[in-house]
Amino acid sequence: MLSKSLIAAALFAAAPAFAATYTFQQGAGGYDGTMDVTLYSSDPDASSGYEQEVSIDASDNGSPNHVLLRFDNLFGSAANQIKTGETVVSATLTLQITSAGSGIRFYDMLSDWNSASATWNTMGDGIQTDGLEAAMLPFLTVGADSGDANIESGTLVLDFTDALRRMQDGGVPGYGWALLPFMPNGTNGVDFYSAEGFMVSDRPLLTVEVAPVPEPETYALLLAGLGLIGLRARRRG
Ligand SMILES: [Ca+2]
Ligand SMILES: [Ca+2]
């Protein structure tokens, strides 16, 4: 007899056969959906969506900078889009840090914004983690609430698996993330190349590995196949 665990193993083995990896990076492979912007409390009407770097800082010219980052058009039926029926196995966000610094706290954004118009003032005194503008709690923190260089310069790879799953299942509206400094001591700004970074390869990179959710017919075929194997095994026996 085939054990349940063997059937489970067979089903598990069947799924990754069609696994795929999607990458999203502004200007690469035709992707054009990344937006990012720094909101400067020290220069609250400054429109900075075009800048080649963004900066998260508890004290830039004496007061905080907030950063917004999003990747649009991740889901759909085009070649490099996550399809309906595909499940996110893993996702990473890769940033090229240009200035080592204190740290970053990542929050889901719950209200809409656009990098062409977002400033400290248009967003209403920067970003509030009030459960309306942004989530109340960070889903990821890197670094610490100190003025040390807790995040080194160079490549930073972050696990965004759950962040992508929330987007896919509609748990968040898909407005990206607020990147906020540790307060009050995260005074060593963290900078990284933006979607306007000169080199495409330096821009924020989202990598998403997916596997298909097998259709009911797939299960039926697989179980039928296993049934035949089981039948032969019994006849031999
Ligand atoms: Ca930008
Ligand atoms: Ca606000």
Side-chain angles (χ1 to χ4, degrees):
M1 286 287 286
L2 285 164
S3 69
K4 280 181 184 171
S5 62
L6 182 58
I7 293 171
L11 288 172
F12 182 78
F18 305 101
T21 300
Y22 301 115
T23 59
F24 304 93
Q25 187 171 42
Q26 188 76 0
Y31 182 69
D32 189 29
T34 314
M35 284 199 287
D36 45 27
V37 62
T38 305
L39 314 176
Y40 297 94
S41 61
S42 60
D43 194 358
D45 292 317
S47 177
S48 71
Y50 61 89
E51 291 178 347
Q52 294 196 12
E53 297 175 30
V54 292
S55 179
I56 299 99
D57 199 329
S59 182
D60 183 17
N61 294 315
S63 59
N65 296 347
H66 295 168
V67 166
L68 299 174
L69 170 65
R70 66 194 281 174
F71 291 81
D72 289 343
N73 305 319
L74 300 180
F75 304 95
S77 55
N80 189 43
Q81 283 184 311
I82 303 166
K83 314 292 185 299
T84 301
E86 288 178 332
T87 183
V88 173
V89 175
S90 71
T92 56
L93 175 67
T94 302
L95 303 174
Q96 297 299 329
I97 307 292
T98 58
S99 174
S102 299
I104 311 173
R105 300 180 296 158
F106 291 84
Y107 296 77
D108 286 318
M109 273 300 282
L110 304 179
S111 56
D112 205 359
W113 59 277
N114 188 298
S115 63
S117 59
T119 69
W120 184 271
N121 276 343
T122 66
M123 294 307 293
D125 203 22
I127 304 304
Q128 281 68 47
T129 56
D130 54 5
L132 296 171
E133 187 170 38
M136 298 180 80
L137 296 173
F139 65 86
L140 176 67
T141 64
V142 287
D145 190 18
S146 78
D148 301 324
N150 302 307
I151 296 180
E152 297 175 3
S153 58
T155 303
L156 179 66
V157 182
L158 302 166
D159 184 352
F160 265 54
T161 307
D162 288 342
L164 262 289
R165 286 175 177 164
R166 283 194 298 280
M167 291 173 74
Q168 186 179 39
D169 68 17
V172 293
Y175 300 142
W177 310 289
L179 285 57
L180 305 184
F182 282 88
M183 297 298 289
N185 302 313
T187 55
N188 191 347
V190 179
D191 302 354
F192 60 84
Y193 283 118
S194 73
E196 286 75 27
F198 182 73
M199 299 282 287
V200 169
S201 58
D202 286 338
R203 297 171 183 170
L205 169 66
L206 192 61
T207 304
V208 184
E209 187 186 344
V210 302
V213 177
E215 302 291 327
E217 307 89 80
T218 311
Y219 280 113
L221 279 172
L222 197 58
L223 287 171
L226 287 169
L228 284 174
I229 294 167
L231 202 60
R232 281 188 193 168
R234 276 200 295 279
R235 280 183 181 167
R236 266 186 214 146

